Amino acid sequence: MLTLDHLAVGAETLEEGVAWVEGKLGVQLRPGGQHAHYGTHNRLLGLAPGLYLEVIAKDPSASPTGRPTWFDLDRFSGPPRLSNWLCRTNVLEAYADIAGPAVALSRGALTWETTVPDDGSLPMQAGHPTLLRWGAGVRPPGVGLPKSGCTLRRLTVTHPQAGWLRDHVRLDTDLVEFATGAMGLSAEIVTPNGLCTL
């Protein structure tokens, strides 16, 4: 079984992504950090129940990494948007064929492994979640971040192979639904200012 961990909003710049999310949700994001391995940086927002939202973009101050950027950010263009969803599991290796090999990463006190295809793309164009396994003793950001007053009501994953995803992506939550159609992600979030859709 997979456990929904967090949602990611991609953006051409972190500033654009933060402004878009804060404008939509009406709450401020928290500081995040840098990911030197992939040359990215982020900002975070705690979401109930025990989840979080990440805004991520390439870091213009990062040194060249010599590898494709994760989350398909090398090919990202256009306005900020919900671009990826991530689940945690203790058996990353079982999903390597579809989600990519596991890469060990760290940022401050956080250590984790995450699946990243060798070309930096998203599995099934983000129809399939990116997978991660937090390090021993790590308190996931979804638990450690301050409450924001925002709650995920539903994540809808629209994909031409929705039936296959529904059968093979076994989740321990009913917050995620699969719909057949052109690839897209949509999150309904209850905020202090009412219902918002990303």
Side-chain angles (χ1 to χ4, degrees):
M1 296 289 280
L2 303 179
T3 299
L4 184 61
D5 190 82
H6 68 281
L7 309 179
V9 168
E12 290 189 9
T13 70
L14 189 60
E15 294 76 15
E16 289 176 343
V18 168
W20 183 71
V21 170
E22 290 184 345
K24 296 276 282 185
L25 302 184
V27 295
Q28 287 192 320
L29 275 73
R30 308 284 298 186
Q34 296 172 305
H35 315 103
H37 188 82
Y38 285 111
T40 58
H41 54 172
N42 68 0
R43 296 278 297 276
L44 308 173
L45 181 74
L47 290 178
L51 311 171
Y52 70 103
L53 177 71
E54 169 184 30
V55 177
I56 188 165
K58 296 180 74 169
D59 183 355
S61 69
S63 300
T65 66
R67 64 178 62 87
T69 308
W70 61 350
F71 289 18
D72 212 22
L73 287 173
D74 287 331
R75 290 174 285 271
F76 188 96
S77 64
R81 59 186 176 274
L82 189 62
S83 60
N84 194 15
W85 58 301
L86 297 93
C87 293
R88 59 183 182 268
T89 177
N90 287 324
V91 289
L92 294 179
E93 297 76 12
Y95 295 88
D97 286 350
I98 189 167
V103 179
L105 299 169
S106 64
R107 180 173 65 79
L110 296 176
T111 59
W112 72 99
E113 296 170 87
T114 190
T115 56
V116 183
D118 292 335
D119 63 358
S121 63
L122 294 169
M124 296 182 70
Q125 299 78 50
H128 192 284
T130 293
L131 303 176
L132 61 85
R133 176 168 53 206
W134 291 107
V138 168
R139 193 176 187 208
V143 176
L145 283 165
K147 295 180 179 178
S148 66
C150 295
T151 301
L152 177 67
R153 188 166 85 170
R154 183 168 308 280
L155 171 66
T156 301
V157 180
T158 304
H159 194 276
Q161 295 177 264
W164 186 93
L165 288 164
R166 193 178 298 111
D167 291 340
H168 289 81
V169 179
R170 301 298 177 90
L171 298 161
D172 63 1
T173 179
D174 60 0
L175 292 176
V176 181
E177 69 176 19
F178 297 96
T180 302
M183 178 59 222
L185 301 175
S186 176
E188 296 178 10
I189 298 174
V190 179
T191 78
N193 305 306
L195 182 64
C196 172
T197 301
L198 297 179

